[in-house]
Structures are given as structure tokens and as C-alpha cells.
């Protein structure tokens, strides 16, 4: 089986959705009271955080495939 790359944005999206599900389940059980419309903005913020994490992970992955820091001087005298 081929290994896949770790994608932290998908992990954050899953945790955000699980948090929203647990919030609604706690409200349905009666152990937690909050306005039901408050979860939707929280989910929206969570999705924005997931997008930020995905873009940061993409930038780090792209930076690593380029072969290091661009500010590092390359010593070509050894060739």
C-alpha cells in the first residue's frame, strides 16, 4: 500500500466537525445550554483555521522540495 502525505488541514476540519457534533449532542442531551445559532460561526472560524493550516503546510512542503533556504550561499568551487 502506498503511503500518503500527512495533511493537517483535513485533521483540523475533522476535529472542527466533531466538536460541532458533540456540541449539538450535548445540547440535545441537556447537559449544555447555548444558542443553537452560535455553533455555525464557530464552525466557520474553524474552517478558516483549517484553510490557514492547509496553506501553511503547503508552503512548508513546497519549501522543502526546493532544497533548502534560498538565502544560503551555494559553494560552487567544489565542482
Amino acid at each position: 500500500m502506498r503511503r500518503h502525505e500527512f495533511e493537517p488541514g483535513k485533521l483540523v476540519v475533522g476535529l472542527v466537525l466533531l466538536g460541532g457534533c458533540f456540541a449539538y449532542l450535548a445540547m440535545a442531551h441537556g447537559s449544555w445550554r447555548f444558542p443553537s445559532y452560535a455553533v455555525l460561526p464557530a464552525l466557520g472560524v474553524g474552517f478558516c483555521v483549517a484553510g490557514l493550516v492547509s496553506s501553511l503546510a503547503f508552503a512548508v512542503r513546497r519549501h522543502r522540495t526546493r532544497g533548502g533556504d534560498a538565502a544560503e550561499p551555494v559553494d560552487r568551487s567544489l565542482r
Side-chain angles (χ1 to χ4, degrees):
M1 181 175 173
R2 221 174 102 190
R3 291 183 57 101
H4 61 277
E5 293 182 7
F6 175 64
E7 297 182 18
K10 289 183 179 182
L11 175 68
V12 173
V13 167
L15 292 175
V16 166
L17 288 175
L18 281 174
C21 291
F22 284 131
Y24 274 118
L25 284 174
M27 190 175 83
H29 184 262
S31 59
W32 193 24
R33 294 233 175 245
F34 62 90
S36 60
Y37 59 83
V39 174
L40 291 178
L43 288 175
V45 168
F47 290 146
C48 289
V49 169
L52 179 67
V53 168
S54 290
S55 61
L56 286 175
F58 176 74
V60 167
R61 191 174 296 129
R62 189 176 68 182
H63 177 47
R64 285 187 181 172
T65 58
R66 284 189 179 175
D69 223 4
E72 251 180 51
V74 178
D75 187 15
R76 296 179 189 248
S77 64
L78 297 175
R79 288 187 178 189

